[in-house]
C-alpha cells in the first residue's frame, strides 16, 4: 500500500521513517480489529477527495482518510488553526446512502442521488453531507465505514481498552522512536486521566526500566501496561473461587455464579462460558477459566448490571394501549430552544431511533398550499409537513415495531388540513389506522401487539367515534364544520401564544376521520370524565396542572388513566427546552409524559432509563395495581397492598475504569465521585455519594457501601452518576447509567456509562456489588 497522505510536508528521510511507523501502528490496530489485509480498511486508510455540502452555494472538495489508530477520521480544513479536523468512528450513529438527509435534499439535485451519502453523529454535531465522484465510490465509502463501525463496536471491553491505551501510548511518544522516556511516561499518564506526582512516576518508571537505560521499550512497555491495567479487586474475587491450581474449574465458576451473583447456574453453563470467553487455548482445552477469561466474561453484557433478559421484549404486549407507559417527545421538530432554534426532520429521526413512540407536529399554513411545522409565534425555522411524514414513515420502526402516535397540534386552515390528510393517507398508506380494529364499536383500546407497525393520529375529531356505526351522520355531507369542542387544550394553555381567548376551530372532515383512538378533548375534572367521556377521548395536561393532580389526587388520576390516555407536556415558560421530572406523573399512571428529547439533562436520563428495557420498544407495562379499576394505590400515602414490597438495596461502589477527560488540556485530570440515586414514589427517593478520589480518572477506587429502603420496587429507578468534584463550584458531569430497580442483577457487576447525550462511553465504566434483600 502506498504511504498515507499527510498534511505537513516532510523531507524524504522523515517521510520514510513516518511511513514505517504508520505501517506498524496500522498492523497492530488491524490485528486487534481482525481486519489484517482487509480491502475496506485499506480503502479508508488511503482516503480520497469528497465534495462537502453545506448549502446550495457552499460545496467544497475536502480530503478524508482514516488515521493509523483505525478509529479516527481526519479531514483537510482550509481554516487556520482549525482544531476540529478529526472525528471518532465511535461518534457515528449511521451512514446513509443517497439524498436522505435534510441538507442533501435541500441543497443538491436529484441527478446526484447515487453519489451522495451522509454521516450522522450521535451527539449534537451536524450531519456531514458528502458527494463522491461516482456511485461506486459512494457505495465503497458507505460500506467501508459501516464495516469499520461494526468491527469497532464488536470489540469486547478489554479489546477497546487495549485499543485506546495503545493510541495514547503512540501520542505520548513525542519523538516517535518507539521508546518512552520518564517525561513521556508522565505525559501518557495525563492522557489516560492520571496525575502522578514525581516520586510515584519515578518509582513506576524504575520498576519497569529493567535495562536501566533511562527509557522503556518493548517488553518494558508491556510490563508498564500490565502494572497499569492490573485490577486488584478482580484478583481478590477470582482468588476466592479459583481453587484448581490457580484457575477456575467449571465447578468453581458455578459456585461463584450461585453464591455471589445469585443466579441460576449449572456445570453445562460454566462449560459454555469457558468455551466463549477463555482466550488461552491451552487453558480452554483443560476446561478451566483463567483470570483474563474471567474478566472478559465479567465485561460481557450478559454479566453486567442490567438483566440481559430485559434487553428483549419480555412483557405482555397484549394489554390495552393505555396500560403502558409510552416514550413520548414534546415539540419533536426542534433541535434546540423553543424561540429561535432550528426545526428539522433530523430531530424526528433522532427521537424515533431512541425508541420514542409519540411524536408531536405543530402544523401551520405554509406557502404554495403546503402546511409547515414550526413553533408558532416564534422565530424557529419551518419544515414541510409532507417531509416530516415521510421521515416518520422511514424511521418509525427501525428501533421498535410497536405503534407510533402522531400528535397533531393543528393551526391550519380547512384547505391545508385537507392537504395534511392527503399526505398522511398517501405516504403512510395502510399503516395508518383510519377505522377501529375488529367489527363493531370498540369498548377498549387495542394492544401494542395488535397495532405493530401502525400509526395512530392524536387530534381533534368532529363527532364521537360511535357515529361511524350509526346509519346516518348529521355532518357527513359537510366538507368542514365548526368544531363543537373548544380548541386544543394545549393551544389554550401555552404561555407564548398571544391570545388567551377560547376559540372555535374549523376542522376538515378528511382530517377528523383519521382520529380513531386518540381524540383530543378538554379536561373538566375526573367526575366529568367518568360521566361524559369515552375511553378514546384523551386530554393533554400542562406539567403544573398534572403535577398538582398527581400530588393532591393521585388515586383519582390513576383510576382515570386505568380507563383513558393522558398526555403531559412542559410549561410554555420553558423556552430553553428544559424538562420536568417525569417520575411523579408515571407514579400517577400517566402514559404519554412528553419531554424535550433534544435537551440533555437528568430528566432525560431518567426517561431513557425507564424505557431502556423491554427491548427498547418504547412501551413499558404498568404494574397490575395501576391497571385495576378498583385500585386503592396512592404513591403519596403508602397503605398496605400488593404494591408494598419493602426491600433493602445494598450497593458497594468499588472502582471505575477509564473515565473520560472533561478538558482536553493535559494538566486537567478528573477528581471523580460516584452518586447512587433512587427515583420512584416519594418514600423511595434518595441519593448517596462517595468521597472524591483526587487526580485519577483511569482506575479510581472507593470501596464505599450504601443502603437504601425501597417500598415500591415496580416504580423505582436506580441511577449511577459519576461527577468531577470541584470544591469551589458545581461538580461537572462525567457519565451516568439509569435502569429500573427490577432490572438490577445482583453480585459483582460492571456498569456501563453513558454521555450527556445518552450514548455509550466506549471504555468507561463502574464496578460495583449489588444485593437486594426482602424486608419482612
Amino acid at each position: 500500500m502506498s504511504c498515507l497522505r499527510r498534511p505537513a510536508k516532510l523531507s524524504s528521510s522523515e517521510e520514510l521513517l513516518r511511513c514505517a511507523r504508520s505501517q506498524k501502528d496500522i498492523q497492530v490496530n488491524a490485528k486487534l480489529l481482525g481486519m489484517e489485509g482487509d480491502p475496506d480498511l485499506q480503502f479508508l486508510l488511503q482516503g480520497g477527495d469528497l465534495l462537502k455540502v453545506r448549502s446550495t452555494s457552499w460545496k467544497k472538495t475536502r480530503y478524508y482518510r482514516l488515521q493509523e489508530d483505525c478509529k479516527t477520521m481526519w479531514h483537510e480544513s482550509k481554516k487556520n488553526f482549525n482544531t476540529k479536523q478529526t472525528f471518532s468512528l465511535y461518534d457515528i450513529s449511521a451512514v446513509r446512502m443517497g439524498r436522505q438527509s435534510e441538507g442533501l435534499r435541500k441543497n443538491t439535485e436529484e441527478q446526484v442521488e447515487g453519489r451522495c451519502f451522509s454521516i450522522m453523529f450521535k451527539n449534537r454535531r451536524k450531519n456531514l453531507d458528502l458527494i463522491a465522484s461516482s456511485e461506486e465510490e459512494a457505495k465503497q465509502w458507505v460500506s467501508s465505514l459501516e464495516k469499520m463501525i461494526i468491527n469497532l463496536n464488536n470489540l469486547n471491553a478489554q479489546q477497546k481498552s487495549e485499543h485506546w491505551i495503545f493510541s495514547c501510548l503512540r501520542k505520548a511518544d513525542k519523538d516517535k522512536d518507539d521508546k518512552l522516556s520518564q517525561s513521556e511516561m508522565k505525559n501518557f499518564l495525563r492522557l489516560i486521566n492520571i496525575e502522578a506526582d514525581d516520586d510515584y512516576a519515578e518509582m513506576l518508571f524504575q520498576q519497569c526500566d529493567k535495562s536501566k537505560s533511562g527509557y522503556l521499550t518493548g517488553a518494558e512497555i508491556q510490563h508498564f501496561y500490565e502494572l497499569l491495567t492490573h485490577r486488584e479487586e478482580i484478583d481478590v474475587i477470582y482468588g476466592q473461587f479459583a481453587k484448581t491450581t490457580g484457575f477456575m474449574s467449571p465447578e468453581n465458576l458455578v459456585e461463584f455464579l450461585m453464591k455471589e451473583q445469585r443466579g441460576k447456574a449449572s456445570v453445562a453453563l460454566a462449560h459454555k462460558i469457558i468455551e466463549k470467553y477463555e482466550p488461552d487455548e491451552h487453558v480452554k482445552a483443560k476446561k478451566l477459566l483463567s483470570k483474563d477469561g474471567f474478566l472478559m466474561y465479567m465485561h460481557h453484557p450478559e454479566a453486567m448490571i442490567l438483566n440481559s433478559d430485559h434487553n428483549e421484549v419480555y412483557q405482555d404486549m397484549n394489554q390495552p394501549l393505555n396500560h403502558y407507559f409510552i416514550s413520548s417527545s414534546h415539540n419533536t421538530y426542534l433541535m434546540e430552544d423553543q424561540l429561535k432554534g432550528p426545526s428539522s426532520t433530523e430531530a424526528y429521526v433522532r427521537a424515533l431511533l431512541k425508541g420514542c413512540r409519540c411524536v408531536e407536529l405543530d402544523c401551520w399554513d405554509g406557502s404554495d398550499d403546503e402546511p409547515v411545522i414550526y413553533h408558532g409565534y416564534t422565530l424557529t425555522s419551518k419544515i414541510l409537513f409532507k417531509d416530516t411524514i415521510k421521515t416518520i414513515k422511514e424511521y418509525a420502526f427501525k428501533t421498535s415495531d410497536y405503534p407510533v402516535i402522531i400528535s397533531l397540534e393543528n393551526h391550519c386552515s380547512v384547505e391545508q388540513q385537507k392537504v395534511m390528510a392527503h399526505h398522511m393517507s398517501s405516504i403512510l398508506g395502510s399503516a395508518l389506522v383510519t377505522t377501529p380494529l375488529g367489527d363493531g364499536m370498540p369498548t377498549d383500546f387495542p394492544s401494542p401487539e395488535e397495532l405493530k407497525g401502525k400509526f395512530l393520529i392524536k387530534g381533534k375529531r368532529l363527532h364521537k367515534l360511535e357515529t361511524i356505526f350509526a346509519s346516518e351522520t348529521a355532518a357527513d355531507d359537510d366538507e368542514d364544520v365548526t368544531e363543537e369542542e373548544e380548541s386544543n387544550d394545549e393551544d389554550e394553555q401555552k404561555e407564548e401564544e398571544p391570545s388567551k381567548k377560547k376559540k372555535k376551530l374549523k376542522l376538515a372532515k378528511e382530517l377528523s376521520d383519521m382520529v380513531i383512538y386518540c381524540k383530543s378533548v378538554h379536561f373538566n375534572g375526573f367526575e366529568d370524565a367518568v360521566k361524559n367521556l369515552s375511553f378514546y377521548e384523551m386530554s393533554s395536561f400542562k406539567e403544573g396542572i398534572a403535577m398538582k393532580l398527581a400530588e393532591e389526587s393521585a388515586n383519582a388520576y390513576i383510576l382515570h388513566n386505568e380507563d383513558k390516555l393522558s398526555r403531559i407536556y412542559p410549561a410554555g415558560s420553558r423556552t430553553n427546552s428544559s424538562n420536568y421530572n417525569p417520575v411523579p406523573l408515571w407514579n400517577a399512571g400517566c402514559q404519554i409524559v412528553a419531554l424535550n428529547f433534544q435537551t440533555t439533562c437528568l430528566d432525560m436520563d431518567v426517561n431513557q432509563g425507564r424505557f431502556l428495557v423491554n427491548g427498547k420498544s418504547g412501551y413499558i407495562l404498568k404494574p397490575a395495581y395501576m391497571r385495576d379499576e378498583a385500585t386503592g394505590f396512592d404513591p403519596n400515602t403508602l397503605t398496605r397492598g400488593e404494591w408494598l414490597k419493602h426491600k433493602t438495596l445494598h450497593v458497594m461502589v468499588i472502582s471505575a475504569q477509564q473515565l473520560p477527560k472533561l478538558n482536553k488540556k493535559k494538566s486537567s485530570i478528573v477528581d471523580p465521585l460516584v452518586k447512587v440515586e433512587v427515583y420512584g414514589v416519594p418514600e423511595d427517593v434518595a441519593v448517596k455519594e462517595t468521597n472524591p478520589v483526587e487526580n485519577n480518572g483511569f482506575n479510581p477506587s472507593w470501596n464505599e457501601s450504601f443502603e437504601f429502603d425501597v417500598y415500591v420496587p415496580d416504580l423505582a429507578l436506580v441511577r449511577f452518576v459519576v461527577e468531577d468534584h470541584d470544591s469551589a463550584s458545581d461538580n461537572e458531569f462525567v457519565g451516568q447509567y439509569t435502569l429500573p430497580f427490577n432490572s438490577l442483577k445482583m453480585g459483582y457487576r460492571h456498569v456501563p456509562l453513558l454521555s450527556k447525550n445518552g450514548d455509550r462511553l466506549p471504555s468507561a465504566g463502574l464496578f460495583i456489588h449489588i444485593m437486594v434483600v426482602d424486608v419482612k
Side-chain angles (χ1 to χ4, degrees), residues 533-551:
L533 298 185
S534 299
F535 75 91
Y536 57 85
E537 292 178 301
M538 63 177 290
S539 300
S540 287
F541 301 82
K542 187 164 54 172
E543 66 171 274
I545 293 168
M547 288 288 189
K548 191 175 181 189
L549 290 171
E551 190 177 322

Side-chain angles (χ1 to χ4, degrees), residues 162-431:
E162 286 174 13
H163 194 189
W164 177 68
I165 289 172
F166 177 75
S167 300
C168 290
L169 278 167
R170 300 305 293 170
K171 271 190 208 169
D173 182 14
K174 289 288 185 191
D175 52 12
K176 308 297 179 196
D177 60 357
D178 295 328
K179 300 173 184 175
L180 276 186
S181 66
Q182 191 167 327
S183 66
E184 286 174 332
M185 189 190 78
K186 276 203 79 173
N187 182 32
F188 166 73
L189 290 172
R190 289 193 189 102
L191 283 171
I192 63 168
N193 220 349
I194 299 176
E195 182 63 59
D197 63 39
D198 290 340
D199 291 342
Y200 176 75
E202 186 173 356
M203 181 268 290
L204 195 60
F205 189 83
Q206 298 302 335
Q207 204 173 339
C208 298
D209 184 18
K210 305 286 186 191
S211 62
K212 304 299 177 194
S213 60
Y215 51 79
L216 308 184
T217 184
E220 293 171 334
I221 292 176
Q222 178 66 25
H223 181 50
F224 170 57
Y225 168 79
E226 286 165 359
L227 280 177
L228 204 61
T229 55
H230 177 238
R231 297 268 307 269
E232 188 179 348
E233 69 274 32
I234 296 294
D235 284 359
V236 172
I237 300 162
Y238 182 79
Q240 287 174 350
F241 294 92
K243 297 167 184 172
T244 310
T245 61
F247 291 95
M248 267 191 182
S249 68
E251 292 74 21
N252 299 153
L253 184 52
V254 167
E255 185 188 0
F256 167 74
L257 294 172
M258 293 181 76
K259 185 177 173 184
E260 287 295 348
Q261 308 300 77
R262 300 300 171 106
K264 293 176 184 174
S266 64
V267 172
L269 174 64
H271 279 296
K272 280 183 186 173
I273 290 170
I274 291 168
E275 184 61 33
K276 189 173 179 181
Y277 298 105
E278 179 49 55
D280 189 318
E281 292 299 327
H282 298 294
V283 177
K284 189 190 286 188
K286 296 175 185 175
K287 302 284 191 279
L288 297 173
L289 188 67
S290 68
K291 190 167 65 182
D292 284 344
F294 177 70
L295 185 55
M296 284 180 76
Y297 166 67
M298 292 293 286
H299 269 301
H300 195 269
E302 71 182 76
M304 293 176 85
I305 190 167
L306 175 67
N307 185 336
S308 55
D309 292 342
H310 294 185
N311 283 324
E312 307 300 323
V313 174
Y314 71 97
Q315 295 180 337
D316 178 5
M317 301 302 281
N318 291 296
Q319 297 295 313
L321 193 73
N322 64 315
H323 286 183
Y324 298 82
F325 298 123
I326 302 170
S327 179
S328 306
S329 161
H330 170 252
N331 287 359
T332 315
Y333 49 90
L334 290 178
M335 300 285 280
E336 294 170 15
D337 66 60
Q338 312 273 316
L339 293 179
K340 56 186 188 308
S343 304
S344 173
T345 56
E346 287 304 322
Y348 288 91
V349 175
R350 291 180 186 187
L352 290 166
L353 291 179
K354 283 183 176 178
C356 179
R357 297 292 84 191
C358 180
V359 294
E360 185 180 17
L361 287 69
D362 280 13
C363 309
W364 299 80
D365 282 355
S367 56
D368 303 321
D369 294 324
E370 283 293 349
V372 293
I373 293 170
Y374 82 111
H375 202 212
Y377 309 107
T378 68
L379 299 174
T380 57
S381 62
K382 300 173 183 178
I383 52 177
L384 289 176
F385 178 84
K386 67 178 178 184
D387 287 347
T388 304
I389 296 298
K390 285 176 185 173
T391 300
I392 290 171
K393 185 190 180 186
E394 187 176 350
Y395 288 92
F397 306 112
K398 300 265 190 197
T399 298
S400 167
D401 293 331
Y402 291 97
V404 168
I405 300 169
I406 297 175
S407 180
L408 298 179
E409 191 177 313
N410 176 14
H411 306 270
C412 290
S413 63
V414 169
E415 288 309 311
Q416 294 212 11
Q417 287 178 40
K418 291 177 183 178
V419 176
M420 288 166 59
H422 169 74
H423 285 324
M424 289 195 289
S425 179
S426 62
I427 294 166
L428 303 178
S430 60

